[in-house]
Amino acid sequence: MPRIKPVNLGILVKESGEVGKIVGVNTYPIGDLKGSNLDKVLNFLLNEISPNYNKIYFEDFKEFDQVYLDYILEATNLIMPSGKEIRIFNIPFIIKQVNEGLNKSINTSDTMIISQDKDIHFKIILQLMDKVSFFTCIGLDPSVCEEVYNEIFKSTGVSIFQPTNIEKVIKNYSIIINFSEEIEFDLEKIRNQALIIDFSKNKPFKVLENSKKNVILIEDIRLKIHKFNDWIDEFVSPELFEALGETHSVFSQIYAKNHFYRVGDFINKGIKKAGKI
C-alpha cells in the first residue's frame, strides 16, 4: 500500500450548511512519513482547501514534528485550533464535579496556576475568582511577575500570593492547574489528595501515576458533539471541537489513568474502589 493515498471521505454539514470536508491522506502514521511524502501531503491539502476555509485539523497532530506542522500552517494560511480556550472554560466544571463526587468544598481550596503565559493566569482567575479566594501564580518571567500581579489585582481584586520558596508551601495546595511544559519543583512534595489538572503538552505531572503520591491527575477532556458524519465520534477533543466551529460547552469526559471517563465513573472506579481517597 502506498504511504500517501489522498481520498475525499465526505462533507461536514451542520444545520447552517457545509462547514468543511474530511479527507484521508496518509496510510502510514504521520510521524513515519519523511521528505517527499510530506510534500505530497502538503500539495494535496493545497488543492483541497476552499477559499473560505480558515481552520485545519489533523487527527494525529500530536505525532507531527512542530517544525513541519508550522510549515503546513504557513503554506496553507490556515489555523490549527489549540482548544486552549475550551479547556480553560471547563476548569471550574471539572473542579466542581470532582469535588462534589468526593464531598469536598472548592471554597476552602488553595489553588496554584502554573504557566509562562500571563493571559492564561488572567483567564483562569476570572473563571474561578467567585469560587476560590486564594491563588498562587508561578511560571512567569521574574522580570514581569510584580507587574502581572498588580495588573491582576487592579482588574479582578484578587491578590496573588508570591512564595519565595515554592517547595516549602507546595503541600498547602489542594488544586494545581498546569499549562507549563516543565516543572521546577519536587513533585513528591505535592500534598496527598490534591487535584491536578495538567493541560500541558508534555504532561510533566504524569510521573505521579507511578509514584506513591495519592493525587487525582486529569490530563484532558472530551466534549459531546453533533454527529457530522460517520468519520467523527460522538466525543471529540477540544481541538476538533473548535475546528468544527463549535463554541464553549461543558465537557463530557475526562482523560485520566490512560482512559476517558465520565467524572462519576472515574471517582467510583478509579478512586473510591481503589481505596485511595
Side-chain angles (χ1 to χ4, degrees):
M1 181 176 289
R3 291 174 177 261
I4 302 298
K5 189 177 181 181
V7 59
N8 288 297
L9 299 175
I11 300 297
L12 302 174
V13 179
K14 293 172 66 174
E15 293 83 353
S16 57
E18 180 182 338
V19 296
K21 65 175 67 174
I22 183 167
V23 298
V25 183
N26 48 297
T27 59
Y28 280 56
I30 196 69
D32 295 338
L33 299 179
K34 307 295 181 183
S36 61
N37 283 315
L38 292 176
D39 289 331
K40 291 178 182 177
V41 172
L42 177 58
N43 290 334
F44 173 69
L45 293 176
L46 289 172
N47 289 329
E48 291 295 319
I49 294 169
S50 298
N52 58 333
Y53 287 180
N54 55 20
K55 300 185 186 75
I56 189 169
Y57 173 81
F58 295 96
E59 185 179 35
D60 46 6
F61 70 93
K62 292 182 180 179
E63 303 299 323
F64 269 62
D65 181 278
Q66 188 61 44
V67 173
Y68 187 73
L69 181 57
D70 291 342
Y71 172 65
I72 289 179
L73 297 180
E74 182 178 356
T76 58
N77 198 31
L78 298 176
I79 297 171
M80 171 72 185
S82 68
K84 181 175 66 177
E85 300 294 333
I86 295 173
R87 290 183 173 94
I88 291 174
F89 172 80
N90 271 284
I91 287 172
F93 300 104
I94 297 170
I95 296 173
K96 181 176 185 291
Q97 289 190 32
V98 171
N99 281 2
E100 286 179 348
L102 297 173
N103 296 317
K104 296 170 64 177
S105 172
I106 184 177
N107 296 320
T108 59
S109 301
D110 293 349
T111 299
M112 174 178 289
I113 305 168
I114 311 173
S115 177
Q116 286 77 37
D117 186 339
K118 74 173 185 177
D119 289 338
I120 288 179
H121 289 277
F122 269 105
K123 291 174 181 178
I124 294 175
I125 289 172
L126 287 172
Q127 290 282 354
L128 293 175
M129 59 184 290
D130 62 335
K131 305 172 184 68
V132 176
S133 56
F134 190 89
F135 291 94
T136 293
C137 297
I138 65 172
L140 293 165
D141 189 304
S143 65
V144 301
C145 280
E146 196 67 34
E147 176 185 347
V148 172
Y149 295 159
N150 289 335
E151 191 175 345
I152 289 175
F153 180 73
K154 290 179 181 178
S155 301
T156 66
V158 173
S159 181
I160 304 300
F161 174 59
Q162 306 175 46
T164 55
N165 187 331
I166 189 62
E167 293 197 359
K168 288 186 177 181
V169 297
I170 188 62
K171 65 180 182 297
N172 297 330
Y173 297 92
S174 55
I175 298 174
I176 299 174
I177 303 165
N178 179 55
F179 278 83
S180 179
E181 303 304 332
E182 297 180 0
I183 301 300
E184 297 181 352
F185 58 83
D186 185 357
L187 298 184
E188 292 297 325
K189 294 185 180 296
I190 293 173
R191 71 185 294 171
N192 286 326
Q193 301 186 9
L195 169 60
I196 303 171
I197 301 173
D198 187 357
F199 282 156
S200 66
K201 180 180 179 180
N202 293 339
K203 309 297 181 191
F205 284 92
K206 194 170 183 64
V207 297
L208 292 174
E209 289 184 342
N210 299 318
S211 76
K212 296 181 179 180
K213 296 303 297 184
N214 176 12
V215 300
I216 304 170
L217 175 60
I218 295 174
E219 299 177 75
D220 210 350
I221 57 174
R222 288 200 301 193
L223 303 101
K224 189 172 183 177
I225 198 166
H226 166 79
K227 190 71 173 176
F228 284 86
N229 64 19
D230 293 336
W231 293 95
I232 296 179
D233 293 332
E234 180 182 12
F235 301 104
V236 300
S237 70
E239 288 88 354
L240 181 52
F241 193 82
E242 183 181 340
L244 292 170
E246 299 294 306
T247 55
H248 292 165
S249 178
V250 176
F251 75 99
S252 293
Q253 298 175 330
I254 57 170
Y255 186 73
K257 297 185 177 181
N258 302 316
H259 294 283
F260 282 101
Y261 301 89
R262 293 187 182 277
V263 169
D265 293 337
F266 174 66
I267 290 173
N268 291 327
K269 296 178 183 178
I271 299 177
K272 289 183 177 179
K273 287 187 177 179
K276 290 187 175 181
I277 293 181

